[in-house]
Amino acid sequence: MSAAAPCKTAPRLIEDLLRYDPAVFPTDAQNVLISAGPQAEGETLPDANNSNGCRHKFMLKPDQSVLPPVNAISSTPKSYMVASFCTECRCHLDLSLEIEATTPNATPCPNTAYPLHHFQYLPEKSKALQNPTGSNGGPRWQDERHFRCSSEACCAVVIISIRPSRLSPEHLATLTDPARIKARIQPALESDPDRLRGYTVPEPIKVLSNLRQYLIDALRTTEVKKVNATNKPFMTSLGNSCGGLLEYLGFRYSEESTETEVRQFWALPSIQRCDNGPVLQDSASILVDDVDKELMVLMDKRSWAEKTKANKVLSFTPLPALIHIERCLDTVDYAKLPSSRHLVDLTTDDHPCYSTLGALEDFSDDLIEFAYDRQRLCDPDQAAHYFDCLKRLADFRHSDSLSTKAVVMESTGEISTGDIEEAYTYFKIDPHHRAILNDEHVLGVFKSRVAAAPTHENQARHHLQIIGKARRSSFLELAASERINTNAQALVWLGAEGTTADEFIISLYTSKIEEGAEAQVARRAVECIAAHRNSPFLRSWLDNGSFAEIEMDVGQAYTRLGMEDRTLDDDMILALFDIRVSEAPAQNDDLRAALRAIGKEKGSQKIAAFLQTGQTSGQVSAEWPVGLENIGNTCYLNSLLQFYFTVAPLRQLILDFDKFATEVTPESVHRKRVGSRKVTLKEIERAKKFAYELQRLFQSLITAKTTSITPERELARLTLIKASDEETFRRMSITSAHERPDPGYRDRGSGQGPIQPQPGLMSEITESEPAELDRDDHKRTEASDDASDVTLVDRPWDDQDIVTQKLAHQVPLTQPEHAFSNEIKADDQAKGQQRQILEDKENLAPSKEEAARDIPNQEQGTPLHEVSGSRANQQGVTTTDTLTVIEGTPLDIDSSLPMQVSAISKPPDRRPPVPPRPTTEESRPKPVDELELGAQQDVTEVIGNVLFQLECAMRPLSIERGGEQYDEIKQMFYGKVKVRNEAGNARRENVEAFADIKINVSSGSRDIYSALDEAFDVQEVILDDGVFQQYSSITHLPPVLQVFVQRVQFDKEKSRTYKSESHLGLRETIYMDRYMDSEDTPLLTKRRETWRWKHQLSLLQGRHALLTKTKMDLSIPELFGKTKEWLASLDVKQMEGIDPVEADLMEDLTRISVEADKELSDIEASMAELTRRLESQFSDATSLPYRLQSVFIHRGTATFGHYWIYIYDFKRQIWRKYNDGYVTEVTNMHEIFEQDPSHPATPYYLVYVREEELERLVDPVCRDIPEEPDMAMEIESDGSGAPQGNDVPWIEEAPRPHVPVDANRDVEW
């Protein structure tokens, strides 16, 4: 949605359109179509009292229209055009509507949440055309206005274009002025009186009629007809003297010479008629049709006497256009106020508050509330005025419903303009000065008032609170409440504890900023904590806005490390440093500053190397993998490249790529199809370049003589940036000669956060109908360049994320939590920052001026019900004891279970994860080459780009049906799934390809099997002919099975995205038998049983939540028990006016408590039994084992963080951690398979490998180090490990954490 601005509902837009006359109101300041309603009491509508404007009566122009059908379904994609003309002013109106429902989960208005379209004006796309001469058949002027529905899920765009009459005043005078007609026709009559006997000077209506007849003849035929210039009707109505008008209309003059005479002709306009869309589309044909309609209006407006005299009495019955405009905007049947409550007074204008809210007088109360809520959300700066309008309309309409709404809003802190006026008046602030006064000035007035009248402090704070809300200033609101002045208050406000590490304090700061808190308030909290702790780390962050290491005096450094003996050698110093860090990991930066000061004072090469690399030795091993250095926010890229290197067939293919490269011939390029589309020669050449760059990297990983190497920037660019984005960056790079643009500039304003999620559906390649979509054409939304490292893997999907065709017309009732994709989605791109802590890059410091980010809202549909237990928990849907699950049969709770339940409730949402960190302008990396390298993609985006390029560069093994290339990449990574849709006896099947299986952890922690089940479990979908039960089965498993964990979710209440940090329980071995497609009846029967049990479990869990979760943190049995105890403790004899507690009441409390406790016990027993059944249902299905080979890890938030990967070595039976330039052995399996709740690092991409092919498929160590001597220069040394003199240049090194010598030590970095 555009920037904050008032909107209007579709009926209001139509009403304003009928009153909008751009010929009378040419300026935007007076434009009723786009201007907001009255913004103060007593104001009127912009043109309400102007009698010069036209109240339009629009009639249809059928040949220029594409009309909506009478029973159009709003959820289907639309493209309509209603072309019309006004019978009063003869202006022309084109109203077009575009709704592109490109994803099945899009919900165009009207729907349950949006009963009407709610349109916002788009000034940046609107325009005005000036063409005073009307040259080229164009209008003299054109007023074009664009509007977009404010619902993020709607995508409706309306374009309103108004043009003046095509016949200018000069044209009208030529056709209707009797004097001009006589002056034109009289000479012709006199020149040939015998031939023109009986003809006289015609009435204007006759002239209009003859011209219209010529235009009708042109419109009715595609043949070129000619009119002889000596034709009697032509000579006595128009004649050659009207040549200018005729040529304007498209007539063409010509002459034909004979032996006796020269004959003159006028060819009628040539009309082009189209089969698709409007019949008339070219400007010349539209001009003729427009003038035909105007002539009809002009003829109708001639006097009755003139019509009778000329025998031209017409039956003027054009079709009204209003009904089609209403159908186009879905306003035909909106909820109206009952007729008994209509308050229409035809002698007065509408109540101005209707226009302000973008509503109409006949709206029902519910629609008035809808209009108010949307207006308040879209234009928060005027929220107080809209609240005034709501209250005024409640009184005007005598509406209990609106009055209740107003009371509820007041109870939640909503303020009115009256409250604001009173507050400013209290502080004696001039209304004219409000806009120019800053918050500090207002606070100063407040303090002065409190100092002058201390007894009125509470009243002053109340008014300051109102002003803070009106100005949307958390700074003033905090000052009014005076919340943060101490360390304790700061910890509470940030949600921290006294033991929370300094780094995590900064993370909590940025979390508050993301939630909308004022930066100054959050900064004040950090200041309080820094002062209380006397923390150099926090003070440095507050002063410099960065994590630069703090210069420390060498004496202070020895004291900080607890070293009294300054003669200790380097090894002992490093050992003591390790001990201090292990004792206080939160003080890592302070300790590093101390170590750096000592190393600088000693001139120690070993300490310098340790600070730069985290290692004390550069020894290289032929039995150990090589790390990849980060070259600018490429930690995810490094993880991905390491994974690909370990896949032995892929590695060998790349090393021997010449054998696999595709031939580049016209025929091969023409036939090549990858990802269900043709690829271009340019894409093939780029892909081959990528393959050879990857070959160079793999060769370096094999032969490197160092513990790590640096990837080529060209490889990073080709991997991370798709061809289409590359062109975008190239165009952007020349927009300024001095400054390269922000990557966030491409699709939206810089600094805007990620877009809101819409749960995605399957992305697939349909065997029967390959999709024709270009996987490079998807829109992407970039994060601002103050983002750290890279964005998280699974961003909220926009409406162009489906990269291949979905089953025809399929719209799910329940939002599937899974998706099988053959193509990977684009994500928010982010720019990198300096690297602070190896595994904690998400916590860079914010700039002092950093402001909270606004993240647009997006609506999500609510399923009818869910079958999977985890889905039911997530949705919180109220159900009954029975629910139809499949084949139309009711599902009852298993009678063998102790408990039946009737409803479920929604569990509370989780707290959002550790947020991003902003950065100062000074510390922000300059966008030179990083413009492209910093635009990091998510995991699916980059993997998709890699696989796509490799396939483009490779020759095919064979060609599949539909022309799709089949190659080694598809052999290794692609599987196929069969999707079944069943309804009674009806059954449909479709086979689709997938590159990964998408699983979801948004509803809470779960096991890998539970997450995988959701990708294959039954769900309800709507097809063309009804509701179907849909489930999936795998028909072909790839050797390398990839699983994508979707973690980014959208918080509706806070209108922002967040990363779900729910734990995913991994298993080293999974068995895929249960998901395979098989005609084996017992297997399918087992699957259906699990679906039924999961539904029963979800109902039981819902009932259990109702009985155990209350506002008092007591279960229902405990609540009634405590109530009984409290009543029993009362001494009513000493309480005047209190009757004794009746015995029956005490007995009832006991009975209810016992019954509720019994119900809870039964529910818990049933839940345990169902869980046991589900866990053992497929215990014997173990013929298809897959072993866990790689785990991609992310630590951070939805838009910031750091990546690394764990890869298992099956030969050596060890896990290794690949963290940029460091490759270390994992000795504590807890860091892979468990999760630290205080600082979670979460898996987001998993790779499982077919167990029977482990030896062939994976080999993480492939080294062949050349034996030639290392030519690196050596530094002279005295043998002590330190160089002579000051040979070591002590420059500012990048702050990198140390990898401890003792790998078993559990150190948090």
Side-chain angles (χ1 to χ4, degrees):
M1 196 169 65
S2 299
C7 305
K8 58 183 65 179
T9 60
R12 184 78 223 183
L13 181 65
I14 295 174
E15 172 63 21
D16 289 346
L17 179 59
L18 296 178
R19 297 186 298 120
Y20 173 52
D21 190 348
V24 180
F25 308 106
T27 64
D28 286 352
Q30 299 171 314
N31 195 326
V32 68
L33 190 63
I34 66 173
S35 296
Q39 295 299 300
E41 189 170 358
E43 290 184 6
T44 58
L45 304 183
D47 64 345
N49 299 319
N50 194 309
S51 59
N52 295 325
C54 176
R55 174 73 181 190
H56 299 296
K57 296 180 181 178
F58 288 117
M59 298 298 163
L60 188 67
K61 295 189 288 188
D63 287 347
Q64 298 181 38
S65 301
V66 178
L67 301 178
V70 175
N71 57 348
I73 300 175
S74 62
S75 62
T76 59
K78 305 177 185 179
S79 180
Y80 300 138
M81 163 75 81
V82 180
S84 60
F85 65 99
C86 177
T87 58
E88 298 296 322
C89 66
R90 304 192 319 281
C91 73
H92 297 267
L93 165 69
D94 290 341
L95 185 146
S96 64
L97 173 75
E98 295 283 345
I99 293 185
E100 299 179 356
T102 56
T103 56
N105 58 337
T107 54
C109 303
N111 53 56
T112 303
Y114 284 78
L116 290 170
H117 285 296
H118 188 254
F119 290 112
Q120 185 176 26
Y121 176 56
L122 305 177
E124 69 278 6
K125 294 188 176 181
S126 302
K127 57 187 177 182
L129 170 68
Q130 298 297 331
N131 184 18
T133 63
S135 59
N136 301 319
R140 300 187 303 279
W141 53 263
Q142 181 172 340
D143 188 77
E144 183 177 298
R145 307 291 176 172
H146 291 240
F147 300 83
R148 179 184 294 277
C149 185
S150 65
S151 169
E152 296 291 346
C154 181
C155 311
V157 175
V158 171
I159 302 175
I160 295 174
S161 177
I162 300 181
R163 306 183 302 273
S165 62
R166 295 301 194 108
L167 295 174
S168 67
E170 178 64 24
H171 294 152
L172 292 180
T174 299
L175 296 173
T176 61
D177 185 349
R180 288 198 181 191
I181 295 173
K182 183 176 180 179
R184 181 174 72 243
I185 302 302
Q186 189 65 41
L189 295 175
E190 295 174 353
S191 66
D192 195 353
D194 293 335
R195 181 170 177 269
L196 299 176
R197 188 181 305 276
Y199 284 89
T200 61
V201 176
E203 296 290 338
I205 194 171
K206 181 68 174 178
V207 178
L208 296 171
S209 176
N210 285 353
L211 178 57
R212 182 168 183 258
Q213 188 59 52
Y214 293 135
L215 298 183
I216 291 175
D217 290 343
L219 290 167
R220 288 178 176 175
T221 180
T222 58
E223 299 178 3
V224 178
K225 290 187 176 183
K226 296 181 179 180
V227 177
N228 195 319
T230 60
N231 176 275
K232 294 178 183 179
F234 180 82
M235 289 181 64
T236 58
S237 59
L238 297 170
N240 287 343
S241 59
C242 290
L245 171 61
L246 295 175
E247 289 178 348
Y248 166 71
L249 295 177
F251 288 76
R252 297 185 304 280
Y253 176 78
S254 64
E255 296 180 349
E256 296 179 5
S257 300
T258 66
E259 294 180 358
T260 59
E261 62 178 341
V262 177
R263 304 179 64 184
Q264 300 174 333
F265 295 93
W266 285 94
L268 300 184
S270 177
I271 303 300
Q272 305 294 325
R273 306 180 74 85
C274 303
D275 296 328
N276 297 321
V279 175
L280 304 179
Q281 297 183 18
D282 67 293
S283 59
S285 301
I286 291 175
L287 171 63
V288 172
D289 191 47
D290 285 353
V291 173
D292 169 56
K293 302 302 185 290
E294 292 184 29
L295 292 173
M296 183 167 52
V297 173
L298 291 169
M299 293 170 65
D300 182 65
K301 291 186 178 297
R302 304 306 296 178
S303 68
W304 177 259
E306 182 180 336
K307 294 177 185 177
T308 305
K309 182 177 179 181
N311 195 24
K312 292 294 181 182
V313 179
L314 305 176
S315 177
F316 182 56
T317 56
L319 298 174
L322 183 58
I323 182 62
H324 299 288
I325 293 175
E326 291 174 343
R327 285 176 182 162
C328 188
L329 301 186
D330 288 301
T331 66
V332 176
D333 297 319
Y334 66 83
K336 295 181 174 62
L337 192 70
S339 58
S340 60
R341 287 185 54 201
H342 273 193
L343 305 172
V344 177
D345 182 354
L346 299 179
T347 65
T348 62
D349 299 315
D350 284 347
H351 195 294
C353 287
Y354 287 120
S355 176
T356 302
L357 294 181
L360 288 181
E361 185 270 346
D362 67 350
F363 272 19
S364 68
D365 288 347
D366 287 342
L367 285 185
I368 294 293
E369 291 187 28
F370 165 74
Y372 164 73
D373 289 336
R374 292 305 304 165
Q375 203 76 309
R376 179 175 174 272
L377 179 64
C378 296
D379 188 19
D381 291 337
Q382 295 294 328
H385 179 56
Y386 297 135
F387 186 47
D388 280 342
C389 289
L390 177 69
K391 294 195 293 183
R392 290 171 62 192
L393 285 180
D395 294 338
F396 179 72
R397 295 162 64 102
H398 308 294
S399 169
D400 292 338
S401 175
L402 296 183
S403 297
T404 301
K405 171 76 172 181
V407 171
V408 171
M409 295 302 296
E410 282 184 322
S411 68
T412 59
E414 194 71 13
I415 58 175
S416 66
T417 53
D419 298 328
I420 299 171
E421 291 292 332
E422 182 182 352
Y424 277 112
T425 302
Y426 178 83
F427 290 116
K428 295 182 173 57
I429 296 178
D430 190 321
H432 301 291
H433 296 163
R434 296 175 189 175
I436 60 175
L437 297 180
N438 57 29
D439 290 348
E440 288 75 12
H441 181 89
V442 175
L443 182 61
V445 174
F446 159 77
K447 291 180 177 178
S448 299
R449 185 62 183 264
V450 171
T455 58
H456 295 164
E457 180 177 352
N458 291 336
Q459 186 178 8
R461 290 192 180 281
H462 170 72
H463 290 304
L464 183 64
Q465 189 81 21
I466 291 174
I467 293 175
K469 289 182 179 179
R471 298 169 71 99
R472 300 171 68 191
S473 168
S474 297
F475 173 74
L476 292 180
E477 291 188 65
L478 181 67
S481 58
E482 203 177 16
R483 288 194 299 262
I484 302 181
N485 286 314
T486 66
N487 176 66
Q489 291 172 337
L491 292 174
V492 170
W493 190 81
L494 287 174
E497 297 178 356
T499 57
T500 301
D502 288 349
E503 296 91 336
F504 205 69
I505 292 293
I506 306 306
S507 296
L508 293 174
Y509 164 91
T510 49
S511 177
K512 284 293 185 180
I513 294 297
E514 277 197 340
E515 292 172 2
E518 188 74 18
Q520 291 174 319
V521 178
R523 183 178 177 84
R524 170 60 181 162
V526 178
E527 288 174 347
C528 291
I529 296 172
H532 178 79
R533 296 183 176 184
N534 194 23
S535 167
F537 178 84
L538 292 180
R539 284 200 301 269
S540 173
W541 178 84
L542 288 166
D543 294 338
N544 306 320
S546 68
F547 288 125
E549 297 204 18
I550 306 167
E551 287 292 338
M552 187 178 293
D553 176 79
V554 66
Q556 182 183 3
Y558 277 105
T559 302
R560 183 68 183 84
L561 290 178
M563 296 169 52
E564 297 181 0
D565 185 358
R566 297 194 179 189
T567 63
L568 295 177
D569 60 24
D570 292 348
D571 290 331
M572 183 59 70
I573 292 173
L574 291 174
L576 284 173
F577 173 80
D578 282 341
I579 295 173
R580 298 293 178 257
V581 170
S582 65
E583 292 173 344
Q587 301 300 319
N588 177 67
D589 291 273
D590 199 27
L591 294 169
R592 281 178 59 83
L595 181 63
R596 184 175 183 277
I598 294 173
K600 185 175 182 179
E601 191 267 341
K602 291 172 62 71
S604 168
Q605 177 71 23
K606 180 173 287 190
I607 294 178
F610 175 83
L611 287 168
Q612 290 181 343
T613 66
Q615 300 177 357
T616 57
S617 172
Q619 183 177 358
V620 179
S621 170
E623 300 298 321
W624 200 255
V626 175
L628 294 175
E629 291 295 333
N630 194 313
I631 60 174
N633 308 325
T634 56
C635 53
Y636 167 67
L637 171 66
N638 291 342
S639 300
L640 184 62
L641 294 175
Q642 292 283 18
F643 159 62
Y644 283 137
F645 183 78
T646 65
V647 181
L650 178 61
R651 181 176 66 217
Q652 197 59 45
L653 183 152
I654 296 300
L655 293 173
D656 298 334
F657 188 71
D658 288 337
K659 300 178 182 178
F660 299 91
T662 187
E663 296 182 357
V664 181
T665 64
E667 180 182 0
S668 64
V669 173
H670 177 72
R671 295 180 58 230
K672 196 172 187 68
R673 293 177 63 89
V674 177
S676 300
R677 71 171 179 86
K678 292 182 179 180
V679 296
T680 65
L681 175 61
K682 183 177 181 180
E683 287 177 312
I684 294 174
E685 292 174 343
R686 186 183 194 272
K688 294 179 74 172
K689 181 179 180 181
F690 164 74
Y692 285 115
E693 288 289 341
L694 189 60
Q695 183 184 75
R696 290 179 58 192
L697 176 77
F698 283 5
Q699 290 170 344
S700 297
L701 287 173
I702 294 172
T703 61
K705 299 176 182 178
T706 56
T707 58
S708 65
I709 62 173
T710 301
E712 293 293 334
R713 303 182 78 82
E714 179 66 7
L715 173 62
R717 186 183 67 82
L718 293 171
T719 306
L720 297 174
I721 308 300
K722 298 190 298 185
S724 59
D725 295 331
E726 188 178 49
E727 293 299 322
T728 301
F729 282 127
R730 186 172 293 112
R731 289 193 298 270
M732 292 171 60
S733 67
I734 63 175
T735 58
S736 171
H738 306 290
E739 180 179 358
R740 299 189 70 176
D742 190 313
Y745 168 79
R746 284 194 307 158
D747 291 328
R748 56 180 172 77
S750 173
Q752 182 172 325
I755 62 175
Q756 297 73 12
Q758 291 179 336
L761 299 177
M762 293 185 196
S763 304
E764 69 277 328
I765 300 175
T766 304
E767 284 193 339
S768 59
E769 297 182 27
E772 295 291 343
L773 299 181
D774 187 340
R775 64 173 79 185
D776 283 348
D777 285 341
H778 308 316
K779 291 181 181 179
R780 297 185 305 174
T781 305
E782 289 78 6
S784 62
D785 69 350
D786 53 356
S788 162
D789 232 346
V790 289
T791 57
L792 186 56
V793 294
D794 53 334
R795 67 157 184 10
W797 297 354
D798 61 35
D799 60 359
Q800 297 194 18
D801 273 343
I802 302 301
V803 297
T804 52
Q805 292 178 345
K806 186 62 186 168
L807 298 177
H809 309 298
Q810 178 172 310
V811 181
L813 286 177
T814 55
Q815 300 286 3
E817 300 293 341
H818 62 280
F820 303 91
S821 65
N822 69 300
E823 173 57 29
I824 317 301
K825 283 69 181 175
D827 193 10
D828 298 7
Q829 297 187 332
K831 231 178 151 184
Q833 313 294 336
Q834 68 182 54
R835 190 167 58 180
Q836 162 59 20
I837 300 177
L838 189 60
E839 297 177 6
D840 195 16
K841 298 185 181 180
E842 67 274 21
N843 295 322
L844 282 181
S847 64
K848 299 178 181 179
E849 297 82 9
E850 186 69 14
R853 306 183 180 188
D854 293 326
I855 301 180
N857 188 18
Q858 183 148 350
E859 301 296 330
Q860 299 185 33
T862 302
L864 292 183
H865 58 75
E866 298 286 3
V867 174
S868 168
S870 54
R871 287 201 206 106
N873 287 341
Q874 172 181 318
Q875 298 293 339
V877 182
T878 300
T879 66
T880 60
D881 288 348
T882 63
L883 182 64
T884 301
V885 175
I886 197 166
E887 297 179 347
T889 58
L891 172 65
D892 296 310
I893 300 297
D894 195 326
S895 58
S896 66
L897 302 175
M899 189 61 211
Q900 303 272 324
V901 299
S902 60
I904 75 174
S905 64
K906 182 177 180 179
D909 294 333
R910 290 177 58 85
R911 179 187 178 94
V914 178
R917 54 205 170 165
T919 183
T920 60
E921 290 292 335
E922 293 77 7
S923 63
R924 183 174 296 158
K926 300 302 179 184
V928 183
D929 207 32
E930 285 77 2
L931 178 64
E932 293 179 358
L933 295 180
Q936 301 281 334
Q937 309 300 314
D938 63 49
V939 55
T940 53
E941 174 73 11
V942 180
I943 288 179
N945 190 35
V946 169
L947 298 184
F948 174 74
Q949 290 192 94
L950 289 178
E951 289 193 79
C952 287
M954 294 169 57
R955 51 70 182 137
L957 292 175
S958 62
I959 303 299
E960 296 181 325
R961 183 170 56 183
E964 177 74 12
Q965 170 175 310
Y966 183 75
D967 46 46
E968 287 83 354
I969 296 300
K970 283 191 170 63
Q971 277 186 338
M972 277 184 279
F973 297 104
Y974 281 78
K976 291 186 177 180
V977 64
K978 181 181 290 184
V979 180
R980 287 190 174 91
N981 299 285
E982 300 177 350
N985 295 325
R987 179 170 176 172
R988 302 178 185 176
E989 295 181 350
N990 195 52
V991 177
E992 305 153 359
F994 68 90
D996 58 50
I997 301 175
K998 289 180 171 52
I999 61 177
N1000 199 310
V1001 293
S1002 61
S1003 60
S1005 299
R1006 59 176 53 185
D1007 176 78
I1008 182 66
Y1009 277 128
S1010 174
L1012 284 171
D1013 287 348
E1014 282 197 355
F1016 301 94
D1017 280 354
V1018 69
Q1019 61 180 335
E1020 284 192 344
V1021 297
I1022 297 179
L1023 302 182
D1024 289 340
D1025 49 353
V1027 179
F1028 282 71
Q1029 303 290 329
Q1030 182 185 92
Y1031 62 95
S1032 306
S1033 305
I1034 299 175
T1035 60
H1036 169 69
L1037 275 169
V1040 180
L1041 180 64
Q1042 301 174 104
V1043 180
F1044 171 34
V1045 186
Q1046 297 176 195
R1047 290 191 174 274
V1048 169
Q1049 306 297 325
F1050 181 69
D1051 188 329
K1052 288 185 178 181
E1053 294 181 358
K1054 297 179 179 178
S1055 297
R1056 68 181 182 89
T1057 54
Y1058 68 96
K1059 171 190 169 186
S1060 170
E1061 295 184 337
S1062 299
H1063 177 62
L1064 177 65
L1066 304 179
R1067 300 196 182 196
E1068 294 191 64
T1069 303
I1070 60 173
Y1071 300 93
M1072 299 299 293
D1073 307 60
R1074 66 187 71 183
Y1075 307 118
M1076 298 303 296
D1077 182 63
S1078 173
E1079 297 301 328
D1080 179 14
T1081 302
L1083 177 60
L1084 184 56
T1085 300
K1086 282 187 173 183
R1087 291 187 68 186
R1088 293 182 187 275
E1089 284 180 339
T1090 60
W1091 299 337
R1092 188 174 70 254
W1093 293 341
K1094 288 178 182 179
H1095 174 64
Q1096 295 174 10
L1097 183 60
S1098 71
L1099 297 178
L1100 290 167
Q1101 290 169 337
R1103 181 62 178 172
H1104 187 272
L1106 286 176
L1107 293 174
T1108 56
K1109 297 178 181 179
T1110 65
K1111 293 182 179 180
M1112 300 181 66
D1113 292 329
L1114 296 173
S1115 67
I1116 294 297
E1118 293 172 335
L1119 189 60
F1120 280 97
K1122 294 291 185 182
T1123 302
K1124 178 184 175 183
E1125 292 177 5
W1126 179 76
L1127 291 174
S1129 66
L1130 293 178
D1131 187 357
V1132 296
K1133 295 180 179 180
Q1134 299 181 7
M1135 301 174 67
E1136 184 177 352
I1138 301 298
D1139 296 330
V1141 178
E1142 297 181 2
D1144 291 344
L1145 175 59
M1146 302 297 284
E1147 292 176 0
D1148 288 341
L1149 289 173
T1150 301
R1151 176 180 55 79
I1152 294 173
S1153 178
V1154 172
E1155 290 176 355
D1157 189 62
K1158 174 63 166 59
E1159 183 182 1
L1160 265 179
S1161 298
D1162 291 344
I1163 288 176
E1164 290 169 352
S1166 298
M1167 290 168 59
E1169 173 60 20
L1170 284 172
T1171 301
R1172 185 195 63 78
R1173 292 183 189 179
L1174 289 170
E1175 290 176 350
S1176 62
Q1177 179 76 334
F1178 297 100
S1179 58
D1180 57 344
T1182 57
S1183 63
L1184 291 174
Y1186 272 71
R1187 296 288 300 278
L1188 182 63
Q1189 188 259 349
S1190 294
V1191 181
F1192 290 73
I1193 294 291
H1194 176 269
R1195 172 179 284 155
T1197 70
T1199 53
F1200 302 81
H1202 178 55
Y1203 299 83
W1204 65 90
I1205 186 173
Y1206 297 103
I1207 298 178
Y1208 189 66
D1209 188 331
F1210 291 98
K1211 292 182 180 179
R1212 298 164 180 81
Q1213 297 185 359
I1214 61 172
W1215 281 95
R1216 294 187 183 90
K1217 179 179 183 178
Y1218 296 72
N1219 197 338
D1220 286 340
Y1222 309 118
V1223 183
T1224 57
E1225 181 179 350
V1226 179
T1227 58
N1228 184 0
M1229 296 300 104
H1230 176 89
E1231 66 178 281
I1232 303 176
F1233 294 96
E1234 300 298 331
Q1235 184 170 304
D1236 182 0
S1238 64
H1239 205 191
T1242 52
Y1244 67 90
Y1245 209 77
L1246 315 172
V1247 179
Y1248 282 88
V1249 180
R1250 187 178 294 159
E1251 186 176 71
E1252 62 187 27
E1253 297 186 77
L1254 288 177
E1255 185 175 348
R1256 178 184 74 86
L1257 291 173
V1258 290
D1259 180 22
V1261 180
C1262 180
R1263 302 279 278 125
D1264 185 10
I1265 305 173
E1267 296 182 359
E1268 55 266 27
D1270 190 353
M1271 301 302 295
M1273 296 180 61
E1274 297 186 6
I1275 301 177
E1276 294 184 7
S1277 172
D1278 60 1
S1280 64
Q1284 298 297 316
N1286 290 321
D1287 294 338
V1288 181
W1290 279 93
I1291 60 174
E1292 288 288 337
E1293 78 280 6
R1296 303 185 61 173
H1298 166 55
V1299 178
V1301 177
D1302 183 1
N1304 293 312
R1305 183 179 299 148
D1306 187 11
V1307 180
E1308 179 66 24
W1309 296 107

